[in-house]
Amino acid sequence: MPWIRYDPSMYKSNQQMQKRQDPPIKTACVRTTGGTASDCISTPVEITALTTGAVAKIPVVLAELTLQLNVNAIIDLPEPAWEIKRIKKNVKVTQCLIIQDTHMLFIKGYVRKNIDYTTRYCSNSQGICGDIKHCTVDVPFSCTTPVFFNGISPLPPVPSSSTEFEYFRQQDIYGPRFADKDKLLSGDLSEFNQISTEFFNELPFCDLVSARIVEFDEYLNPTHPTGIKAPFAERYFESIEEKMVIYLTLKIMQNRQVAIPPISIGPICPGCEE
Protein backbone atom coordinates (compact mmCIF):
# COMPACT_ATOMS: atom_id res chain seq x y z
CA MET A 1 0.00 0.00 0.00
CA PRO A 2 1.56 3.34 -1.00
CA TRP A 3 2.12 6.02 1.60
CA ILE A 4 0.02 9.22 1.42
CA ARG A 5 1.77 12.32 2.54
CA TYR A 6 -0.19 14.50 5.02
CA ASP A 7 -0.49 18.13 3.92
CA PRO A 8 -1.80 20.49 6.71
CA SER A 9 -2.61 23.29 4.23
CA MET A 10 -4.91 20.95 2.28
CA TYR A 11 -6.78 19.99 5.45
CA LYS A 12 -7.17 23.66 6.38
CA SER A 13 -8.54 24.60 2.95
CA ASN A 14 -11.07 21.73 3.14
CA GLN A 15 -12.23 22.98 6.53
CA GLN A 16 -12.63 26.53 5.18
CA MET A 17 -14.62 25.28 2.16
CA GLN A 18 -16.96 23.27 4.39
CA LYS A 19 -17.43 26.27 6.64
CA ARG A 20 -18.42 28.43 3.67
CA GLN A 21 -20.91 25.86 2.35
CA ASP A 22 -22.70 24.84 5.57
CA PRO A 23 -25.16 27.51 6.87
CA PRO A 24 -25.07 28.27 10.55
CA ILE A 25 -27.46 26.26 12.72
CA LYS A 26 -30.00 28.42 14.57
CA THR A 27 -31.17 27.31 17.97
CA ALA A 28 -34.34 29.46 17.99
CA CYS A 29 -37.02 29.96 15.32
CA VAL A 30 -37.75 33.62 16.00
CA ARG A 31 -36.93 36.20 18.60
CA THR A 32 -38.43 39.59 19.39
CA THR A 33 -36.75 42.28 21.43
CA GLY A 34 -38.01 45.65 22.54
CA GLY A 35 -41.44 46.78 23.66
CA THR A 36 -43.90 49.65 23.71
CA ALA A 37 -42.82 53.10 24.84
CA SER A 38 -44.91 54.52 27.64
CA ASP A 39 -45.26 58.07 26.25
CA CYS A 40 -45.58 59.41 22.72
CA ILE A 41 -45.24 63.07 21.79
CA SER A 42 -47.71 64.56 19.31
CA THR A 43 -47.39 67.94 17.63
CA PRO A 44 -50.35 69.67 15.93
CA VAL A 45 -49.87 70.26 12.21
CA GLU A 46 -51.51 73.15 10.41
CA ILE A 47 -54.47 72.04 8.32
CA THR A 48 -54.30 73.20 4.73
CA ALA A 49 -57.74 73.59 3.21
CA LEU A 50 -59.60 75.62 0.62
CA THR A 51 -61.35 78.42 2.51
CA THR A 52 -62.50 80.64 -0.39
CA GLY A 53 -65.48 78.42 -1.20
CA ALA A 54 -65.89 75.88 -3.97
CA VAL A 55 -68.32 73.72 -5.90
CA ALA A 56 -67.70 70.05 -5.07
CA LYS A 57 -69.21 66.85 -6.38
CA ILE A 58 -69.85 64.70 -3.32
CA PRO A 59 -72.27 61.94 -2.24
CA VAL A 60 -75.51 63.37 -0.86
CA VAL A 61 -77.85 61.32 1.34
CA LEU A 62 -81.24 60.87 -0.31
CA ALA A 63 -82.75 58.51 2.25
CA GLU A 64 -81.87 56.36 5.23
CA LEU A 65 -84.01 53.36 6.04
CA THR A 66 -84.10 49.98 7.76
CA LEU A 67 -85.33 46.94 5.84
CA GLN A 68 -86.82 43.84 7.42
CA LEU A 69 -86.26 40.65 5.41
CA ASN A 70 -87.80 37.34 6.45
CA VAL A 71 -85.85 34.27 5.31
CA ASN A 72 -86.80 30.61 5.64
CA ALA A 73 -84.33 28.00 4.35
CA ILE A 74 -83.36 24.34 4.79
CA ILE A 75 -79.67 23.39 4.94
CA ASP A 76 -78.64 19.79 4.18
CA LEU A 77 -75.32 18.81 5.76
CA PRO A 78 -72.95 16.46 3.91
CA GLU A 79 -72.94 13.93 6.78
CA PRO A 80 -74.81 13.13 9.99
CA ALA A 81 -74.22 15.67 12.77
CA TRP A 82 -74.89 15.34 16.48
CA GLU A 83 -74.75 18.93 17.66
CA ILE A 84 -74.28 22.45 16.31
CA LYS A 85 -71.44 24.09 18.18
CA ARG A 86 -71.39 27.52 16.53
CA ILE A 87 -72.82 29.42 13.57
CA LYS A 88 -71.00 32.51 12.32
CA LYS A 89 -72.96 34.80 9.99
CA ASN A 90 -72.10 37.64 7.62
CA VAL A 91 -74.50 39.61 5.42
CA LYS A 92 -73.42 40.23 1.81
CA VAL A 93 -75.46 42.55 -0.42
CA THR A 94 -74.94 41.98 -4.15
CA GLN A 95 -77.59 44.32 -5.57
CA CYS A 96 -79.11 47.53 -4.25
CA LEU A 97 -80.85 49.41 -7.07
CA ILE A 98 -83.51 52.07 -7.01
CA ILE A 99 -85.68 52.58 -10.07
CA GLN A 100 -86.20 56.30 -10.47
CA ASP A 101 -89.67 57.69 -11.15
CA THR A 102 -91.03 54.66 -9.26
CA HIS A 103 -89.22 55.03 -5.90
CA MET A 104 -88.92 51.22 -5.74
CA LEU A 105 -85.79 49.69 -4.23
CA PHE A 106 -84.59 46.28 -5.38
CA ILE A 107 -82.19 44.56 -3.00
CA LYS A 108 -80.57 41.15 -3.29
CA GLY A 109 -77.82 39.29 -1.49
CA TYR A 110 -77.09 36.36 0.78
CA VAL A 111 -76.16 35.42 4.32
CA ARG A 112 -72.85 33.59 4.53
CA LYS A 113 -73.09 31.02 7.30
CA ASN A 114 -70.19 29.04 8.70
CA ILE A 115 -71.62 26.11 10.66
CA ASP A 116 -69.46 24.15 13.12
CA TYR A 117 -70.94 20.76 14.03
CA THR A 118 -69.82 17.58 15.80
CA THR A 119 -69.51 14.12 14.24
CA ARG A 120 -69.23 10.63 15.76
CA TYR A 121 -65.99 8.62 15.80
CA CYS A 122 -66.78 6.33 18.71
CA SER A 123 -69.46 6.14 21.38
CA ASN A 124 -70.78 4.14 24.30
CA SER A 125 -73.57 4.49 26.81
CA GLN A 126 -71.64 7.24 28.61
CA GLY A 127 -70.68 9.55 25.77
CA ILE A 128 -69.79 10.26 22.15
CA CYS A 129 -66.40 11.28 20.76
CA GLY A 130 -65.68 12.69 17.32
CA ASP A 131 -64.42 15.61 15.30
CA ILE A 132 -65.70 19.14 14.88
CA LYS A 133 -66.25 19.96 11.21
CA HIS A 134 -67.56 22.98 9.40
CA CYS A 135 -69.79 23.71 6.45
CA THR A 136 -70.05 27.12 4.75
CA VAL A 137 -73.26 27.92 2.87
CA ASP A 138 -74.80 30.98 1.24
CA VAL A 139 -78.47 31.56 2.04
CA PRO A 140 -79.93 33.94 -0.58
CA PHE A 141 -82.46 36.69 0.01
CA SER A 142 -84.17 39.33 -2.15
CA CYS A 143 -87.00 41.83 -1.80
CA THR A 144 -88.45 45.08 -3.11
CA THR A 145 -89.70 48.02 -1.09
CA PRO A 146 -90.86 51.60 -1.74
CA VAL A 147 -88.51 54.33 -0.56
CA PHE A 148 -89.45 57.57 1.15
CA PHE A 149 -86.76 60.17 0.50
CA ASN A 150 -86.36 61.69 3.95
CA GLY A 151 -83.13 63.42 2.94
CA ILE A 152 -83.45 65.02 -0.48
CA SER A 153 -85.14 63.91 -3.66
CA PRO A 154 -82.88 62.50 -6.38
CA LEU A 155 -82.21 64.42 -9.53
CA PRO A 156 -84.65 63.41 -12.28
CA PRO A 157 -82.86 61.66 -15.13
CA VAL A 158 -82.36 63.75 -18.25
CA PRO A 159 -83.35 61.70 -21.31
CA SER A 160 -81.18 61.45 -24.39
CA SER A 161 -82.45 63.15 -27.52
CA SER A 162 -82.15 62.67 -31.27
CA THR A 163 -83.19 65.29 -33.87
CA GLU A 164 -83.19 65.03 -37.64
CA PHE A 165 -82.75 67.98 -39.97
CA GLU A 166 -82.48 68.53 -43.72
CA TYR A 167 -81.37 71.17 -46.23
CA PHE A 168 -83.34 72.86 -48.95
CA ARG A 169 -82.58 71.82 -52.52
CA GLN A 170 -83.74 73.11 -55.93
CA GLN A 171 -83.72 70.66 -58.82
CA ASP A 172 -84.69 70.76 -62.48
CA ILE A 173 -87.60 68.55 -63.49
CA TYR A 174 -88.47 67.13 -66.88
CA GLY A 175 -91.55 65.52 -68.29
CA PRO A 176 -94.62 66.08 -70.42
CA ARG A 177 -96.44 67.64 -67.49
CA PHE A 178 -93.74 70.21 -66.59
CA ALA A 179 -92.64 73.44 -68.31
CA ASP A 180 -88.99 74.39 -68.81
CA LYS A 181 -89.09 76.93 -66.00
CA ASP A 182 -90.61 74.49 -63.47
CA LYS A 183 -88.33 73.57 -60.56
CA LEU A 184 -88.59 70.97 -57.80
CA LEU A 185 -88.34 72.79 -54.47
CA SER A 186 -88.00 70.35 -51.54
CA GLY A 187 -85.68 68.93 -48.97
CA ASP A 188 -82.62 67.02 -50.11
CA LEU A 189 -83.61 63.35 -50.06
CA SER A 190 -80.11 62.18 -50.93
CA GLU A 191 -78.71 62.78 -47.44
CA PHE A 192 -79.56 62.07 -43.79
CA ASN A 193 -78.64 64.53 -41.02
CA GLN A 194 -79.10 64.07 -37.33
CA ILE A 195 -78.12 65.57 -33.96
CA SER A 196 -77.87 63.07 -31.06
CA THR A 197 -77.36 64.10 -27.44
CA GLU A 198 -76.58 61.73 -24.56
CA PHE A 199 -76.84 62.62 -20.87
CA PHE A 200 -74.91 60.48 -18.39
CA ASN A 201 -77.01 60.70 -15.25
CA GLU A 202 -75.75 59.89 -11.78
CA LEU A 203 -77.27 56.63 -10.59
CA PRO A 204 -78.27 56.52 -6.89
CA PHE A 205 -76.34 53.92 -4.92
CA CYS A 206 -76.49 52.28 -1.49
CA ASP A 207 -74.19 52.38 1.49
CA LEU A 208 -74.58 49.72 4.21
CA VAL A 209 -74.73 50.99 7.79
CA SER A 210 -75.54 47.91 9.87
CA ALA A 211 -77.02 44.42 9.73
CA ARG A 212 -78.84 42.61 12.54
CA ILE A 213 -80.00 38.98 12.35
CA VAL A 214 -82.47 37.28 14.67
CA GLU A 215 -82.30 33.55 13.98
CA PHE A 216 -84.08 30.35 14.98
CA ASP A 217 -82.54 27.04 13.86
CA GLU A 218 -84.13 23.64 14.36
CA TYR A 219 -82.88 20.13 13.60
CA LEU A 220 -85.04 18.17 11.18
CA ASN A 221 -85.86 14.51 11.86
CA PRO A 222 -83.46 13.91 14.78
CA THR A 223 -82.99 10.13 15.00
CA HIS A 224 -81.73 7.93 17.82
CA PRO A 225 -78.91 5.70 16.52
CA THR A 226 -79.53 1.97 16.15
CA GLY A 227 -76.89 -0.74 16.18
CA ILE A 228 -74.43 1.32 18.23
CA LYS A 229 -74.21 2.32 21.87
CA ALA A 230 -74.86 5.96 22.66
CA PRO A 231 -76.34 7.99 25.52
CA PHE A 232 -80.14 7.76 25.58
CA ALA A 233 -80.71 11.48 24.82
CA GLU A 234 -78.38 11.71 21.82
CA ARG A 235 -79.83 12.12 18.32
CA TYR A 236 -78.21 12.69 14.95
CA PHE A 237 -79.58 14.78 12.09
CA GLU A 238 -78.62 15.77 8.56
CA SER A 239 -80.81 18.83 7.85
CA ILE A 240 -81.43 22.15 9.57
CA GLU A 241 -84.41 24.42 9.09
CA GLU A 242 -83.61 28.03 9.82
CA LYS A 243 -85.78 31.09 10.13
CA MET A 244 -84.07 34.47 10.03
CA VAL A 245 -85.31 38.02 10.39
CA ILE A 246 -82.71 40.36 8.90
CA TYR A 247 -82.69 44.07 9.67
CA LEU A 248 -80.61 46.04 7.16
CA THR A 249 -79.94 49.72 7.72
CA LEU A 250 -78.64 51.50 4.64
CA LYS A 251 -78.26 54.90 3.08
CA ILE A 252 -79.32 55.74 -0.46
CA MET A 253 -76.93 58.29 -1.92
CA GLN A 254 -76.28 60.15 -5.15
CA ASN A 255 -73.32 62.18 -6.34
CA ARG A 256 -74.39 65.82 -6.54
CA GLN A 257 -72.73 69.16 -7.09
CA VAL A 258 -72.75 71.09 -3.82
CA ALA A 259 -71.77 74.73 -3.31
CA ILE A 260 -69.51 75.06 -0.27
CA PRO A 261 -69.41 78.61 1.12
CA PRO A 262 -66.15 80.23 2.26
CA ILE A 263 -65.17 79.68 5.87
CA SER A 264 -62.60 81.04 8.28
CA ILE A 265 -60.33 78.62 10.10
CA GLY A 266 -59.27 79.45 13.62
CA PRO A 267 -56.32 78.00 15.55
CA ILE A 268 -56.13 74.23 15.57
CA CYS A 269 -55.44 74.18 19.29
CA PRO A 270 -55.67 76.63 22.20
CA GLY A 271 -52.58 78.77 22.43
CA CYS A 272 -51.28 77.86 18.96
CA GLU A 273 -51.63 81.46 17.77
CA GLU A 274 -48.94 82.55 20.24
Side-chain angles (χ1 to χ4, degrees):
M1 179 177 181
W3 290 91
I4 300 176
R5 184 179 179 182
Y6 173 73
D7 189 358
S9 61
M10 183 182 300
Y11 177 74
K12 184 177 181 180
S13 62
N14 291 337
Q15 281 186 331
Q16 292 175 351
M17 184 178 299
Q18 185 177 6
K19 188 177 296 184
R20 286 195 303 265
Q21 293 177 352
D22 297 336
I25 300 175
K26 296 182 179 180
T27 57
C29 177
V30 66
R31 183 177 63 178
T32 303
T33 58
T36 303
S38 58
D39 296 328
C40 297
I41 299 175
S42 62
T43 303
V45 178
E46 183 180 357
I47 299 175
T48 302
L50 183 64
T51 60
T52 58
V55 177
K57 189 174 183 180
I58 58 177
V60 175
V61 178
L62 306 181
E64 186 168 354
L65 65 155
T66 299
L67 295 176
Q68 176 181 329
L69 300 102
N70 304 320
V71 179
N72 189 5
I74 295 178
I75 300 174
D76 297 324
L77 299 176
E79 59 186 326
W82 295 79
E83 185 182 358
I84 298 296
K85 303 300 292 183
R86 188 185 66 163
I87 298 179
K88 184 179 179 181
K89 300 171 289 294
N90 297 99
V91 175
K92 309 293 183 181
V93 176
T94 59
Q95 183 185 91
C96 186
L97 178 65
I98 185 167
I99 306 298
Q100 290 191 249
D101 296 335
T102 63
H103 296 186
M104 290 298 298
L105 178 69
F106 291 75
I107 189 164
K108 183 167 60 174
Y110 59 89
V111 178
R112 182 182 186 272
K113 307 190 69 172
N114 192 298
I115 305 172
D116 294 341
Y117 61 92
T118 60
T119 59
R120 174 189 172 276
Y121 175 73
C122 61
S123 64
N124 54 29
S125 58
Q126 297 178 347
I128 297 177
C129 296
D131 298 327
I132 295 180
K133 296 186 178 182
H134 80 94
C135 183
T136 301
V137 296
D138 293 336
V139 180
F141 63 82
S142 63
C143 77
T144 60
T145 182
V147 175
F148 172 71
F149 294 106
N150 54 356
I152 187 174
S153 298
L155 284 175
V158 181
S160 301
S161 62
S162 177
T163 305
E164 298 180 10
F165 65 93
E166 59 184 3
Y167 293 102
F168 169 74
R169 183 179 181 183
Q170 177 179 310
Q171 304 179 63
D172 295 332
I173 53 177
Y174 304 97
R177 299 172 54 187
F178 303 104
D180 291 342
K181 292 188 293 296
D182 290 346
K183 302 291 183 180
L184 175 61
L185 307 179
S186 66
D188 191 354
L189 300 179
S190 64
E191 60 186 21
F192 179 81
N193 306 292
Q194 187 180 48
I195 298 176
S196 299
T197 305
E198 292 181 279
F199 291 94
F200 303 97
N201 301 278
E202 289 288 348
L203 181 68
F205 59 93
C206 298
D207 190 12
L208 285 178
V209 178
S210 64
R212 178 172 172 259
I213 300 176
V214 181
E215 180 180 7
F216 177 80
D217 294 336
E218 190 173 16
Y219 309 153
L220 293 182
N221 191 26
T223 305
H224 185 77
T226 58
I228 61 173
K229 291 184 178 181
F232 71 95
E234 296 297 327
R235 301 288 189 274
Y236 69 88
F237 57 93
E238 296 186 14
S239 298
I240 306 171
E241 182 178 8
E242 63 172 11
K243 298 176 178 63
M244 292 186 295
V245 180
I246 306 171
Y247 298 95
L248 281 182
T249 301
L250 51 89
K251 297 177 186 289
I252 300 177
M253 311 178 75
Q254 186 181 38
N255 290 327
R256 301 278 290 270
Q257 289 190 167
V258 179
I260 302 176
I263 59 173
S264 59
I265 300 180
I268 56 179
C269 63
C272 291
E273 67 276 3
E274 297 180 359

